[in-house]
Amino acid sequence: MGWLDRFTGGRKPPDPTDLWKKCPKCSEILLQKDLERNLFLCGKCDHHLRMPVWDRIALLTDDNSFLEIDQEMESVDPLGFVDSAPYPERLQKAIQATDSFEAVTCGEARLDGRPILLAVMNFEFMGGSMGSVVGEKVTRLLERGLDKRFPVICVSASGGARMQEGIFSLMQMAKTAAAIARLNAAAVPYISILTDPTTGGVSASFASLGDVNIAEPDALIGFAGPRVIEQTIRQKLPEGFQKAEFLLQHGMVDMVVHRRQLKATVGRLLQLWA
Amino acid sequence: MTREFDFERPIVELEKRLHDLQTLSEDGQIDLSREIKAIADKIALMKAEIFKSLEPWQYAQVARHIDRPFTLDYVKILCGDSFVELHGDRYFGDDPAMVAGFGRIGPHAVAIIGHQKGHDTDENLFRNFGMPHPEGYRKAMRIMRLAERFKKPVVVFIDTPGAFPGIGAEERGQSEAIARNLADMSRLAVPILCFVIGEGGSGGALAVGIGDRVFMLEYSIYSVISAEGCAAILWKDASRAKDAARALRLRASDLLEFGIIDQILPEPLGGAHRDPAATAATIKAVILEHLAALLPLSPEELLARRYAKFRAMGRYKVQDDAETPAKN
C-alpha cells in the first residue's frame, strides 16, 4: 500500500464538532470556517488559537511556492514501547487524525520572493513531540540551508521529546543544535518562531537557538511545564508566567509578533541581512 | 557502613550470620572456619546472582544511591590536590549543583565539569539534589571555553535527576542555557570525554553531554525522562515507575546496543560505592586511553567526527523501506 492510500483510505465523515471551536481565552464560540478566514484568531478577543500546519505554511510563504521535502519519512518503534497502548498504534492514530506522517512538515519555499527553508510543527500529532523523525527532518532542513545558503525558519509547537522513543528522542536535541551551530558559523540566518505551546526538549534545543526568536502573543513557552513546576516547588505560579510576554520581559525572545505581522516581520529581517 | 538496597536484604541476613559466627569463633574454642567460609562463599555467590538479574528499576536505585561516589569524590581520587574549583557564570551567580574547574589526571591538565549531588540532606539542599539552574550550565560552558582557549581537554561527569524546574530557572532561561550548551559543545575545539556516573536525567544531563566519547558506568542510567515522570504522564500513575523504567530502556547495556554510548565501564560487585577507588581507577584508565587517541586529531577532524557521531543518532524509515538508522 502506497503512502497516499494511507492518507485517503478509511477517511471518516466530518464530525459536527469539527465545525466550531471555543476560544480558550474568552470562551466565544467560533465557527471553523470563520477561523480559517481569520488566521485562527478569535474574532472577539484576538486570541491566537493553534494554527493548522498548512494554514501556517500559507501564512508565511508566497502563494504556491512551498515544496514539501522528506514527507515520506516515518517513525519506527526502536524500543518496542508499550504503555497503555503500543507506540505503533498511537502513531497510526496520529497519522489518521492529522493526515500527516509526523509532527513536523518541512519544505522549500519563497518569502517575498526570497528562497527560504521552512519547518512547521504540528501540536496535534502526539503533542508535537520530537522523536527521531522530527529531529532528522529538522536537521536535514538545517543542513540544506547550510548547503544552499538559504535562511531557515522553524515554527515550533511541541510538548517536548517523545517519551516513546526514549534516548533516541533526547539525542535529537543534540543533533539539531549541532546543525544550528554549523549554520551560525557559516552566517546563514536561522529564525525561530515559537508558538503555543513550545516546551521541553524542543524549547531546550532548536526553538531557543534562533538568531532571532519570535513568539506569538500569549504562547506558553518554557523548559518545564507549569504543572511540573507547581508540583516541584509547591506554590502557585504568578499570572502570565511562561507566556510570550514574560519571555520578552526576561530577555529570552526578541519580540512578540501578532500573526498578521509575522510574515512581514520575518521578511524585513531577511532583507536587512541579505 | 553503607545503606543497603531492598534487594540486598537476603545478603544482609547472611552477613549478620557471618559476623555472629566470626565473633563466636574469635571468642571460643570451636573451629568454625569451615562454616564461615561456606557462608562467605554463599554471600559472594548471592551477590553476583542478585546483581546479575537486577530489574531496570533496580538499576535506577543503584544509580541514585546516596552513598554512590559523586563528581567531587572522583575528582578527589583522580586529581588529588591539583584540582582548582572555579565558580560563577559571570552573569547571575554560582550554582552548587554544577561544579567546574581544572585539575591534573595522570600527565594531563584537564577541565572538569560535573553535576554534584549531596551525600546527606543538608548537602543535598545546598547542591539542590544535583539539579542545575541556568547559571550552572553557563558556568560549565564558561569553563569549557577556557579549556578551549588553553587547549586542555574536558572531562565531564554526568549525574543529575534533571535540570531544575522552578520559577527562577525559567526566568533566567533554562531552555536557552541547555540549548546553547548543546550547540557550543558541538563545536568546542578540544577533546571532550563524558562519563555518566549515576543518573543521566534528560536535557539536564545532555546539556553537558556532547562528548567525543560518552561512557556509562555499569549501574548508571541515561534517559529522556525519569521513570517516575514517564509513569505519571503515560500511565497517569507514578507508582508504575517500575514498568516505565523497563519500557524506557535506560540501562547502559541498552544505550550501548542503540549506539548512543561508546563503552560500559564495569563497577565493583554491589556498585561503585562499594569501592570508589577501584571505580575511579577504571575511569582514569579510560581517560588516558582515549585522550591518547583524541589529542593527536586536528580540531577540524575532531569536530567533524563529533558532528557525525550525534548526527547518526535516530531510527526511522523512509516510505516502504526497511527500518534504517540515520545516514550521515
Side-chain angles (χ1 to χ4, degrees):
Chain A
M1 188 164 74
W3 63 272
L4 195 63
D5 303 324
R6 291 179 44 196
F7 274 174
T8 50
R11 274 256 184 103
K12 46 196 183 316
D15 184 329
T17 57
D18 284 351
L19 297 177
W20 57 270
K21 271 200 180 75
K22 202 157 138 186
C23 172
K25 190 94 177 171
C26 72
S27 300
E28 179 82 350
I29 302 295
L30 305 163
L31 288 176
Q32 184 69 21
K33 63 175 179 11
D34 290 344
L35 277 172
E36 282 164 21
R37 271 200 298 261
N38 200 30
L39 304 180
F40 292 82
L41 299 164
C42 172
K44 194 176 170 205
C45 74
D46 208 32
H47 179 70
H48 288 51
L49 281 83
R50 283 173 197 156
M51 197 173 197
V53 170
W54 289 96
D55 294 87
R56 176 71 68 180
I57 290 168
L59 174 78
L60 290 172
T61 57
D62 299 347
D63 285 349
N64 301 317
S65 70
F66 185 83
L67 213 77
E68 190 173 355
I69 46 184
D70 293 324
Q71 71 191 93
E72 69 283 12
M73 203 185 293
E74 262 190 277
S75 289
V76 293
D77 183 17
L79 270 50
F81 197 98
V82 180
D83 51 276
S84 55
Y87 176 42
E89 249 172 55
R90 288 184 187 274
L91 279 170
Q92 277 315 313
K93 257 190 211 159
I95 289 170
Q96 269 155 27
T98 60
D99 277 2
S100 69
F101 275 138
E102 256 300 334
V104 70
T105 302
C106 297
E108 212 170 300
R110 286 182 177 271
L111 193 157
D112 296 344
R114 208 181 294 281
I116 58 154
L117 295 162
L118 177 67
V120 177
M121 297 191 77
N122 184 359
F123 190 75
E124 305 305 317
F125 195 106
M126 295 190 73
S129 55
M130 171 161 68
S132 294
V133 172
V134 170
E136 181 67 22
K137 283 173 85 166
V138 170
T139 304
R140 284 188 184 188
L141 194 77
L142 291 159
E143 288 176 337
R144 188 184 282 242
L146 185 67
D147 197 36
K148 298 192 164 189
R149 300 199 61 85
F150 291 171
V152 183
I153 298 161
C154 189
V155 183
S156 35
S158 171
R162 186 171 298 168
M163 281 174 279
Q164 290 87 347
E165 288 184 34
I167 197 73
F168 288 106
S169 297
L170 188 69
M171 294 303 151
Q172 304 313 308
M173 295 170 63
K175 197 159 112 178
T176 53
I180 290 168
R182 285 193 158 188
L183 270 195
N184 294 165
V188 175
Y190 166 59
I191 294 177
S192 172
I193 298 174
L194 300 100
T195 72
D196 185 66
T198 298
T199 59
V202 167
S203 157
S205 61
F206 61 87
S208 290
L209 289 172
D211 297 318
V212 169
N213 295 332
I214 300 174
E216 281 205 326
D218 210 35
L220 178 81
I221 301 162
F223 174 66
R227 239 177 313 151
V228 174
I229 298 175
E230 266 180 353
Q231 281 164 11
T232 307
I233 62 173
R234 294 175 198 285
Q235 66 187 84
K236 271 296 229 197
L237 297 173
E239 182 71 21
F241 181 67
Q242 295 185 312
K243 290 304 178 90
E245 296 73 15
F246 170 93
L247 272 91
L248 181 67
Q249 202 186 348
H250 286 90
M252 295 304 147
V253 297
D254 291 273
M255 46 191 145
V256 177
V257 176
H258 193 283
R259 200 168 278 166
R260 289 192 196 286
Q261 273 86 54
L262 206 49
K263 186 184 178 189
T265 305
V266 174
R268 221 173 301 142
L269 279 167
L270 293 183
Q271 199 201 358
L272 287 166
W273 290 343
Chain B
M1 179 71 196
T2 53
R3 284 148 279 201
E4 72 276 354
F5 302 104
D6 289 350
F7 52 82
E8 284 183 307
R9 274 217 190 110
I11 301 177
V12 176
E13 295 299 312
L14 279 179
E15 274 175 341
K16 237 184 247 156
R17 255 172 68 197
L18 180 70
H19 183 75
D20 291 347
L21 281 179
Q22 276 166 338
T23 328
L24 209 68
S25 147
E26 276 160 25
D27 290 352
Q29 284 80 34
I30 337 160
D31 179 19
L32 293 168
S33 59
R34 215 194 281 166
E35 286 80 356
I36 288 174
K37 189 181 177 309
I39 292 185
D41 286 351
K42 197 172 175 198
I43 288 173
L45 204 72
M46 269 180 83
K47 239 187 201 172
E49 208 50 49
I50 286 174
F51 274 83
K52 208 170 64 193
S53 55
L54 287 188
E55 283 281 305
W57 171 241
Q58 292 167 324
Y59 271 74
Q61 285 174 273
V62 181
R64 293 169 178 168
H65 197 285
I66 197 162
D67 293 325
R68 200 170 165 83
F70 301 141
T71 296
L72 286 176
D73 300 312
Y74 287 121
V75 167
K76 200 167 177 189
I77 302 172
L78 292 170
C79 303
D81 293 336
S82 73
F83 183 66
V84 181
E85 190 180 346
L86 303 172
H87 295 274
D89 69 343
R90 299 292 187 271
Y91 297 113
F92 178 81
D94 186 48
D95 187 347
M98 181 79 79
V99 296
F102 286 85
R104 194 167 285 283
I105 298 176
H108 304 286
V110 299
I112 295 176
I113 307 291
H115 302 96
Q116 184 63 42
K117 294 180 173 178
H119 287 298
D120 56 43
T121 308
D122 282 347
E123 203 191 341
N124 254 327
L125 288 173
F126 173 63
R127 299 288 183 184
N128 199 30
F129 297 85
M131 292 185 282
H133 281 73
E135 47 273 23
Y137 295 111
R138 291 177 182 136
K139 168 170 71 177
M141 205 59 235
R142 182 174 76 84
I143 303 310
M144 286 190 267
R145 286 264 170 252
L146 281 180
E148 184 182 48
R149 192 189 311 155
F150 298 122
K151 300 197 164 46
K152 304 300 173 200
V154 179
V155 173
V156 182
F157 295 107
I158 293 172
D159 191 11
T160 180
F164 187 66
I167 294 178
E170 295 289 329
E171 286 176 335
R172 300 194 289 280
Q174 189 73 286
S175 285
E176 194 273 346
I178 294 171
R180 185 64 56 197
N181 277 22
L182 300 178
D184 287 1
M185 281 184 88
S186 78
R187 295 184 63 82
L188 196 84
V190 289
I192 303 174
L193 303 179
C194 299
F195 295 85
V196 184
I197 56 171
E199 267 183 289
S202 195
L206 186 67
V208 290
I210 312 301
D212 300 295
R213 302 277 194 276
V214 182
F215 307 99
M216 282 178 77
L217 288 184
E218 187 177 357
Y219 296 111
S220 67
I221 55 171
Y222 199 174
S223 176
V224 67
I225 185 169
S226 73
E228 292 87 343
C230 179
I233 295 171
L234 290 184
W235 279 268
K236 319 266 180 240
D237 180 2
S239 70
R240 298 287 298 273
K242 272 183 195 175
D243 300 308
R246 204 173 302 123
L248 282 167
R249 310 280 308 267
L250 39 64
R251 290 177 300 179
S253 53
D254 297 314
L255 274 83
L256 186 69
E257 183 193 321
F258 294 150
I260 304 289
I261 60 163
D262 295 274
Q263 196 180 321
I264 301 171
L265 309 187
E267 292 186 31
L269 190 57
H273 57 289
R274 299 282 177 185
D275 193 348
T279 315
T282 306
I283 292 174
K284 182 174 175 177
V286 167
I287 291 174
L288 298 184
E289 180 195 339
H290 287 272
L291 284 186
L294 292 169
L295 282 169
L297 299 180
S298 71
E300 295 74 28
E301 179 64 21
L302 186 73
L303 295 188
R305 289 192 194 181
R306 192 182 302 155
Y307 186 84
K309 176 185 176 72
F310 286 90
R311 179 70 187 84
M313 292 179 188
R315 299 259 177 101
Y316 54 87
K317 66 180 173 188
V318 178
Q319 221 165 318
D320 291 317
D321 292 1
E323 175 178 340
T324 47
K327 289 185 192 72
N328 295 330

